[in-house]
């Protein structure tokens, strides 16, 4: 089975009232599920470089009557590219972003900058290519290397979560 955003968010510990950033939101599946969990007391920031995806997400949000999601056009591989202030987020989600990101350390710095002290990151990505069902094999970063990269980027490993048959899920906490 492919990854299930609702289950992954629940396993990761996203709670009502939190401020959550969905870095590389794409179609917005994680942003929508996070919005349902944080309710009107929280806030979700859905960031992507593709404007057309953000327009579609805004339409979906409007159709569903969800008003506490901000869609932000930004380049996550540039410092400040998310357009979110420092220390705003309780929780960050980066799902299926690492495999397509050239500057992973910049992305991690950007996520870390936006998180509050002890804020958490849910990293989900492809565990392998699966005969090109997923990304090209040279673009896959296995979970060990992803963990090492995150730890070098100022995050502490917390735990793995099941994230579907083709993905790994890892929860990290921002180090002080």
């Amino acid at each position: 089975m492919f990854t299930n955003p609702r289950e992954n968010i629940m396993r990761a510990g996203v709670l009502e009232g939190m401020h959550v950033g969905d870095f590389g939101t794409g179609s917005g599946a994680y942003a929508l599920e996070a919005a349902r969990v944080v309710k009107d007391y929280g806030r979700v920031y859905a960031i992507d470089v593709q404007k057309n995806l953000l327009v579609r997400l805004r339409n979906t949000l409007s159709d569903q009557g969800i008003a506490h999601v901000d869609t932000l056009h930004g380049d996550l591989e540039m410092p400040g590219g998310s357009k979110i202030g420092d220390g705003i987020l309780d929780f960050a989600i980066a799902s299926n972003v690492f495999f397509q990101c050239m500057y992973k350390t910049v992305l991690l710095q950007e996520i870390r900058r936006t998180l509050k002290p002890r804020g958490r990151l849910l990293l989900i990505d492809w565990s392998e290519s699966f005969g090109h069902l997923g990304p090209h094999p040279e673009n896959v970063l296995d979970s060990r290397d992803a963990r090492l990269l995150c730890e070098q980027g100022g995050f502490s490993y917390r735990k793995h979560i099941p994230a579907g048959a083709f993905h790994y899920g890892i929860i990290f906490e921002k180090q002080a």
Side-chain angles (χ1 to χ4, degrees), residues 4-5 11 26 33 42 44-45 49 54 59 65 82 92 104 114 116 121 138 153 162:
N4 183 317
R11 286 182 183 123
E33 290 301 333
V44 176
Y45 302 87
V49 70
L54 294 172
N59 291 336
S82 70
K104 293 170 183 55
T114 64
K116 294 177 181 176
L121 164 63
E138 69 186 28

Short mmCIF file of all heavy atoms in Angstrom, two decimals, residues 4-5 11 26 33 42 44-45 49 54 59 65 82 92 104 114 116 121 138 153 162:
data_model
loop_
_atom_site.label_atom_id
_atom_site.label_comp_id
_atom_site.label_asym_id
_atom_site.label_seq_id
_atom_site.Cartn_x
_atom_site.Cartn_y
_atom_site.Cartn_z
N ASN A 4 -0.19 6.53 3.75
CA ASN A 4 -1.49 7.04 4.15
C ASN A 4 -1.28 8.30 5.02
O ASN A 4 -0.90 8.18 6.19
CB ASN A 4 -2.25 5.97 4.94
CG ASN A 4 -3.65 6.40 5.32
OD1 ASN A 4 -3.86 7.52 5.76
ND2 ASN A 4 -4.60 5.50 5.17
N PRO A 5 -1.53 9.48 4.47
CA PRO A 5 -1.25 10.70 5.21
C PRO A 5 -1.94 10.77 6.58
O PRO A 5 -1.32 11.16 7.56
CB PRO A 5 -1.76 11.81 4.28
CG PRO A 5 -1.61 11.21 2.91
CD PRO A 5 -1.95 9.76 3.09
N ARG A 11 0.20 8.85 13.76
CA ARG A 11 1.34 8.14 14.37
C ARG A 11 2.44 9.11 14.80
O ARG A 11 3.16 8.86 15.76
CB ARG A 11 1.92 7.15 13.38
CG ARG A 11 1.10 5.92 13.17
CD ARG A 11 1.81 4.96 12.20
NE ARG A 11 0.98 3.82 11.94
CZ ARG A 11 0.58 3.43 10.74
NH1 ARG A 11 1.00 4.08 9.66
NH2 ARG A 11 -0.19 2.37 10.59
N GLY A 26 2.92 19.54 -2.63
CA GLY A 26 2.42 18.84 -3.82
C GLY A 26 0.91 18.95 -3.93
O GLY A 26 0.36 20.05 -3.93
N GLU A 33 -4.89 16.71 5.67
CA GLU A 33 -5.05 15.87 6.86
C GLU A 33 -4.59 16.58 8.12
O GLU A 33 -5.22 16.48 9.17
CB GLU A 33 -4.32 14.54 6.69
CG GLU A 33 -4.95 13.62 5.67
CD GLU A 33 -6.41 13.26 5.97
OE1 GLU A 33 -6.82 13.24 7.15
OE2 GLU A 33 -7.15 12.99 5.01
N GLY A 42 -5.49 25.56 15.25
CA GLY A 42 -4.13 25.48 14.74
C GLY A 42 -4.00 26.17 13.40
O GLY A 42 -4.91 26.86 12.94
N VAL A 44 -1.94 25.54 9.39
CA VAL A 44 -1.12 24.72 8.50
C VAL A 44 -0.58 25.62 7.40
O VAL A 44 -1.31 26.44 6.84
CB VAL A 44 -1.93 23.54 7.89
CG1 VAL A 44 -1.09 22.77 6.89
CG2 VAL A 44 -2.46 22.63 8.99
N TYR A 45 0.70 25.45 7.13
CA TYR A 45 1.37 26.17 6.05
C TYR A 45 1.77 25.14 5.00
O TYR A 45 2.55 24.24 5.28
CB TYR A 45 2.61 26.89 6.59
CG TYR A 45 2.29 27.87 7.69
CD1 TYR A 45 2.24 27.44 9.01
CD2 TYR A 45 2.02 29.20 7.40
CE1 TYR A 45 1.93 28.32 10.04
CE2 TYR A 45 1.70 30.09 8.42
CZ TYR A 45 1.66 29.64 9.73
OH TYR A 45 1.35 30.52 10.74
N VAL A 49 6.87 24.80 -4.67
CA VAL A 49 7.45 25.64 -5.73
C VAL A 49 6.53 25.68 -6.96
O VAL A 49 6.63 26.58 -7.78
CB VAL A 49 8.87 25.14 -6.10
CG1 VAL A 49 8.82 23.80 -6.82
CG2 VAL A 49 9.64 26.19 -6.89
N LEU A 54 -0.54 24.66 -5.92
CA LEU A 54 -1.08 25.49 -4.85
C LEU A 54 -2.46 26.03 -5.21
O LEU A 54 -3.34 26.11 -4.34
CB LEU A 54 -0.12 26.64 -4.54
CG LEU A 54 1.23 26.22 -3.94
CD1 LEU A 54 2.18 27.40 -3.87
CD2 LEU A 54 1.04 25.58 -2.59
N ASN A 59 -8.30 25.65 -4.13
CA ASN A 59 -9.66 25.31 -4.56
C ASN A 59 -10.25 24.20 -3.70
O ASN A 59 -11.41 24.27 -3.31
CB ASN A 59 -9.68 24.92 -6.04
CG ASN A 59 -9.41 26.09 -6.96
OD1 ASN A 59 -9.61 27.25 -6.59
ND2 ASN A 59 -8.92 25.81 -8.15
N GLY A 65 -14.32 24.09 2.88
CA GLY A 65 -14.56 25.05 3.94
C GLY A 65 -13.44 25.13 4.97
O GLY A 65 -13.68 25.45 6.13
N SER A 82 10.80 29.15 2.41
CA SER A 82 9.45 28.74 2.78
C SER A 82 8.56 29.94 3.08
O SER A 82 7.34 29.83 3.06
CB SER A 82 9.48 27.84 4.02
OG SER A 82 9.83 28.59 5.18
N ALA A 92 6.78 19.83 11.46
CA ALA A 92 7.04 19.95 10.02
C ALA A 92 6.88 18.58 9.37
O ALA A 92 7.21 17.55 9.98
CB ALA A 92 8.44 20.48 9.77
N LYS A 104 19.55 18.99 -0.07
CA LYS A 104 18.85 18.47 1.10
C LYS A 104 19.25 19.19 2.39
O LYS A 104 18.41 19.42 3.26
CB LYS A 104 19.09 16.97 1.23
CG LYS A 104 18.46 16.16 0.10
CD LYS A 104 18.93 14.72 0.13
CE LYS A 104 18.38 13.89 -1.00
NZ LYS A 104 18.62 14.38 -2.35
N THR A 114 12.36 27.13 10.95
CA THR A 114 10.94 27.43 11.16
C THR A 114 10.35 26.73 12.38
O THR A 114 9.28 27.10 12.83
CB THR A 114 10.12 27.06 9.92
OG1 THR A 114 10.19 25.65 9.71
CG2 THR A 114 10.60 27.81 8.69
N LYS A 116 9.91 25.51 16.30
CA LYS A 116 10.12 25.94 17.68
C LYS A 116 11.16 25.02 18.32
O LYS A 116 11.41 23.92 17.81
CB LYS A 116 8.82 25.83 18.46
CG LYS A 116 7.72 26.76 18.01
CD LYS A 116 6.46 26.51 18.80
CE LYS A 116 5.34 27.43 18.33
NZ LYS A 116 4.06 27.14 19.02
N LEU A 121 9.92 16.89 13.24
CA LEU A 121 9.90 16.71 11.79
C LEU A 121 9.49 15.28 11.49
O LEU A 121 10.06 14.33 12.04
CB LEU A 121 11.30 16.97 11.21
CG LEU A 121 11.57 16.46 9.78
CD1 LEU A 121 10.67 17.16 8.76
CD2 LEU A 121 13.04 16.65 9.43
N GLU A 138 18.98 6.32 -8.51
CA GLU A 138 20.04 7.23 -8.04
C GLU A 138 19.50 8.40 -7.22
O GLU A 138 20.26 9.08 -6.53
CB GLU A 138 20.88 7.75 -9.21
CG GLU A 138 20.16 8.70 -10.11
CD GLU A 138 20.96 9.09 -11.35
OE1 GLU A 138 21.79 8.28 -11.80
OE2 GLU A 138 20.74 10.20 -11.84
N GLY A 153 22.20 17.69 10.51
CA GLY A 153 21.52 18.96 10.30
C GLY A 153 20.86 19.54 11.54
O GLY A 153 20.09 20.49 11.44
N PRO A 162 5.72 3.08 10.64
CA PRO A 162 5.38 2.44 9.37
C PRO A 162 4.71 3.48 8.46
O PRO A 162 3.82 4.20 8.89
CB PRO A 162 4.39 1.34 9.77
CG PRO A 162 3.94 1.67 11.16
CD PRO A 162 4.95 2.58 11.76
#
